[in-house]
Amino acid sequence: MIEIENLYKSFNGNDVLKGLSLKVKEGETTAVIGRSGCGKSVLLKHIIGLLRPDKGDVWVDGQNVKKLKRNELYKLRLKMGVVFQSSALLDSLSVGENVALGLTENIRISRARVREIVLEKLSLVELEGVEHKRISELSGGMKKRVAVARALAVNPSYILYDEPTTALDPITARTINELMLSLKKKIRITGIVVTHDMESAFYVADRIAMLHDGKIIFDGTPMEVQTTSDPIVQRFVKGGGKY
Amino acid sequence: MNKGFIESVFGYIGGVCLFLWTIITKLYQVPRSFKLIVNQIVSMGIGSLPIVVVVSLFMGMVTAYQAALQVGGYMPESYLGMAVAKALMIELGPLLTGLIVAGRVSSSLAAEIGTMKVTEQIDALESLAVDPIRYLAMPRFVSGLISLPILTVISELVGFFGGGLCAVLLFDIRPIVYIEGLRVNYFPHELWGGLLKALCFGFVIALMGTYYGFTTKGGAEGVGKAATKAVVSASILILFFDFLIAWIVF
Ligand SMILES: Nc1ncnc2c1ncn2[C@@H]1O[C@H](COP(=O)(O)OP(=O)(O)OP(=O)(O)O)[C@@H](O)[C@H]1O
Ligand SMILES: [Mg+2]
């Protein structure tokens, strides 16, 4: 379980998170929606301990992330896979090496076993025969899939997606949504999807939380999101307008 | 000088020292990162070899030519080899190698790591529980320390050979006489002092390249700035250390 309590973060006087609280239950996928620049990526970075909160705590499986020592934090991160907004594949490595990185750098493991896992994860994201390709040869959608495979390589209990469908065409975005849904069903992974793509949120999420002005102002099932009378949420869901 | 300026200077020095310290604390993981270090030595060292060889060859030739021209009539022939060897060992070998590699390597280190920074690749490493300092900075740092002295020795050998070509072909000095010049007035500390310089230059090049890479902010523009700053500061520090070591050792 991931629990975020009263999180505050500002960058040089720019208050981004102002008392954010959120619970993510085991086995569920939670979508965090909000406008561009509202601090969604900042929230994710707090969950994996890349940023330190000014105030408040992030609890992952009962551990307080900001209190962990470096090696403990690294151990915790092996339980979390992250798919970055820009995919963030290492372009000096091949596709296979990217997927294998978390394994080869952290665990004593035979080459044959690594290869096996790499192929398994790549087929899980429906990519075959690409492990020797260079990153620059891949399309945006393929990069996303490789990033998902890399995040899954260490068999994490959580997967965090940072805007998995933005910057993709509608059809590719759709296939990524299907992938996220099928992963949830196949490996019962707990997920957080940060996005401003409502279609994607409705497609994959069990719960949808809205981040606005540094706080979670709404948290409910997709059904509740559609029927809520909260004007800010309504505006966001319907698109357009000022809020 | 106002207070803000002084503060920012100390802030900068503090930042670099802190960065260096985090690299040093990762040095015990050298055995585990052996492959990464070897890869870096190949790309830094072998990659710089052609330009170092070409520059050194001409540098040796020019040194011999000028030495022979300026004092050729007054000095014994064997002194030409000595003059070339000393100039190369004490000054030209390490300094030119250092400046060439600074231009080539520290900019590309800063650009490479800076790009990784602005495209979230460094964050991705962290998220995979891979320490970016251990994985990226430390191997480049160690490789700088190893590559520069080796490149410098190669530069000095090639330069001496270039000087020899000039001496033999243009000034009719017998090869054996030119080579004997190595032994005239030879002091070991001239060789070691030069190599100490090379070690320092390797340190500076790798440190500046990785430091500016890791502190890159903003997009492509930030990467370009980081690369420029890395070359400029590495070159200035190289000249500074060149003088400092000359002052201490010689
Ligand atoms: N490392 C940082 N240093 C300074 N400011 C930052 C940093 N990271 C984020 N910010 C600021 O925090 C705010 C929120 O950024 P964030 O990237 O979380 O937005 P986002 O919700 O992910 O937006 P998008 O949908 O565009 O990705 C922005 O104003 C940004 O400028
Ligand atoms: Mg973002």
Side-chain angles (χ1 to χ4, degrees):
Chain A
M1 180 145 109
I2 297 177
E3 241 185 305
I4 300 152
E5 273 176 14
N6 207 21
L7 200 62
Y8 282 80
K9 182 71 181 181
S10 66
F11 297 100
N12 321 314
N14 169 16
D15 298 326
V16 178
L17 302 181
K18 308 179 211 169
L20 182 151
S21 300
L22 180 69
K23 255 186 212 170
V24 177
K25 292 206 201 80
E26 216 74 8
E28 280 188 352
T29 294
T30 301
V32 178
I33 58 172
R35 297 182 64 179
S36 259
C38 71
K40 302 185 297 294
S41 300
V42 170
L43 170 63
L44 281 193
K45 285 179 183 164
H46 277 92
I47 298 176
I48 56 172
L50 268 177
L51 289 172
R52 264 188 82 85
D54 296 338
K55 218 173 94 185
D57 305 279
V58 176
W59 301 85
V60 178
D61 290 346
Q63 288 181 289
N64 190 340
V65 174
K66 76 176 178 194
K67 299 239 165 88
L68 296 177
K69 296 202 198 79
R70 205 173 177 81
N71 56 340
E72 296 169 329
L73 183 61
Y74 278 176
K75 234 179 241 152
L76 185 69
R77 281 183 187 157
L78 289 178
K79 288 202 225 167
M80 298 188 275
V82 187
V83 180
F84 285 87
Q85 197 162 348
S86 55
S87 297
L89 300 171
L90 269 69
D91 39 29
S92 56
L93 303 180
S94 71
V95 168
E97 287 167 330
N98 261 285
V99 177
L101 195 61
L103 294 168
T104 50
E105 292 295 321
N106 287 303
I107 322 173
R108 283 204 157 273
I109 184 171
S110 74
R111 274 195 186 193
R113 183 78 190 108
V114 168
R115 201 182 133 69
E116 219 172 278
I117 295 175
V118 166
L119 293 181
E120 180 205 321
K121 301 301 172 189
L122 282 174
S123 81
L124 201 58
V125 299
E126 286 152 29
L127 284 177
E128 252 130 55
V130 295
E131 65 273 16
H132 298 298
K133 283 214 158 84
R134 304 224 59 87
I135 299 305
S136 53
E137 297 173 57
L138 305 181
S139 70
M142 283 164 94
K143 281 185 193 163
K144 271 282 150 33
R145 286 169 187 275
V146 175
V148 173
R150 180 175 72 178
L152 293 174
V154 289
N155 290 328
S157 353
Y158 303 96
I159 187 158
L160 317 180
Y161 302 94
D162 193 351
E163 306 205 14
T165 54
T166 33
L168 297 178
D169 68 79
I171 295 166
T172 314
R174 179 103 203 163
T175 65
I176 296 290
N177 284 336
E178 282 162 7
L179 172 64
M180 290 193 285
L181 198 63
S182 83
L183 287 179
K184 185 173 102 179
K185 289 188 179 142
K186 268 192 231 163
I187 56 180
R188 312 211 142 275
I189 196 163
T190 309
I192 299 181
V193 186
V194 149
T195 187
H196 51 222
D197 173 359
M198 281 317 299
E199 199 188 319
S200 173
F202 280 127
Y203 196 85
V204 300
D206 301 302
R207 294 192 77 80
I208 296 180
M210 172 137 186
L211 173 55
H212 179 78
D213 197 23
K215 291 191 202 67
I216 298 294
I217 56 158
F218 180 90
D219 183 359
T221 62
M223 200 59 185
E224 287 166 347
V225 171
Q226 269 170 331
T227 54
T228 180
S229 56
D230 187 316
I232 301 175
V233 180
Q234 264 194 342
R235 279 238 185 78
F236 190 85
V237 173
K238 304 233 165 73
K242 265 192 172 164
Y243 34 87
Chain B
M1 271 194 263
N2 59 12
K3 199 159 156 264
F5 176 75
I6 293 173
E7 257 171 31
S8 74
V9 167
F10 279 101
Y12 170 72
I13 294 174
V16 174
C17 289
L18 206 63
F19 181 73
L20 174 61
W21 176 246
T22 57
I23 294 179
I24 290 173
T25 59
K26 303 295 180 313
L27 283 179
Y28 76 97
Q29 302 209 27
V30 163
R32 194 182 144 200
S33 316
F34 196 70
K35 218 181 118 200
L36 294 169
I37 296 173
V38 172
N39 285 345
Q40 282 307 315
I41 293 179
V42 169
S43 81
M44 254 188 220
I46 316 267
S48 305
L49 202 54
I51 173 119
V52 166
V53 165
V54 170
V55 171
S56 305
L57 189 72
F58 282 102
M59 181 176 69
M61 286 164 59
V62 170
T63 309
Y65 185 77
Q66 286 294 349
L69 214 60
Q70 303 288 333
V71 286
Y74 316 104
M75 70 179 184
E77 282 186 340
S78 68
Y79 275 38
L80 185 60
M82 177 202 79
V84 173
K86 281 194 185 239
L88 286 172
M89 280 190 298
I90 296 174
E91 196 57 56
L92 294 176
L95 186 65
L96 275 172
T97 309
L99 290 175
I100 291 168
V101 180
R104 207 186 148 266
V105 171
S106 53
S107 59
S108 82
L109 287 185
E112 184 194 6
I113 297 177
T115 304
M116 296 182 76
K117 179 85 190 283
V118 301
T119 57
E120 296 182 305
Q121 292 180 50
I122 306 249
D123 288 344
L125 281 173
E126 285 274 6
S127 80
L128 292 165
V130 178
D131 182 346
I133 300 283
R134 201 270 305 161
Y135 186 79
L136 295 173
M138 188 271 278
R140 284 162 175 77
F141 183 74
V142 172
S143 146
L145 292 182
I146 296 174
S147 304
L148 254 280
I150 296 176
L151 281 173
T152 299
V153 168
I154 294 173
S155 152
E156 289 169 3
L157 290 174
V158 172
F160 191 70
F161 172 77
L165 276 185
C166 186
V168 172
L169 297 179
L170 297 182
F171 296 99
D172 285 333
I173 295 171
R174 279 180 301 137
I176 187 73
V177 174
Y178 175 77
I179 293 170
E180 291 263 292
L182 271 178
R183 281 200 278 169
V184 181
N185 262 331
Y186 170 74
F187 300 106
H189 76 266
E190 292 171 351
L191 179 63
W192 298 120
L195 290 182
L196 178 65
K197 281 183 183 177
L199 193 70
C200 264
F201 299 166
F203 172 92
V204 163
I205 289 165
L207 183 65
M208 287 296 112
T210 50
Y211 173 77
Y212 281 107
F214 270 96
T215 50
T216 302
K217 283 208 180 73
E221 194 195 349
V223 174
K225 276 189 191 151
T228 311
K229 281 187 199 161
V231 181
V232 171
S233 56
S235 306
I236 291 173
L237 282 174
I238 282 174
L239 292 167
F240 171 75
F241 276 109
D242 188 47
F243 178 74
L244 191 73
I245 293 173
W247 193 35
I248 293 171
V249 176
F250 299 103

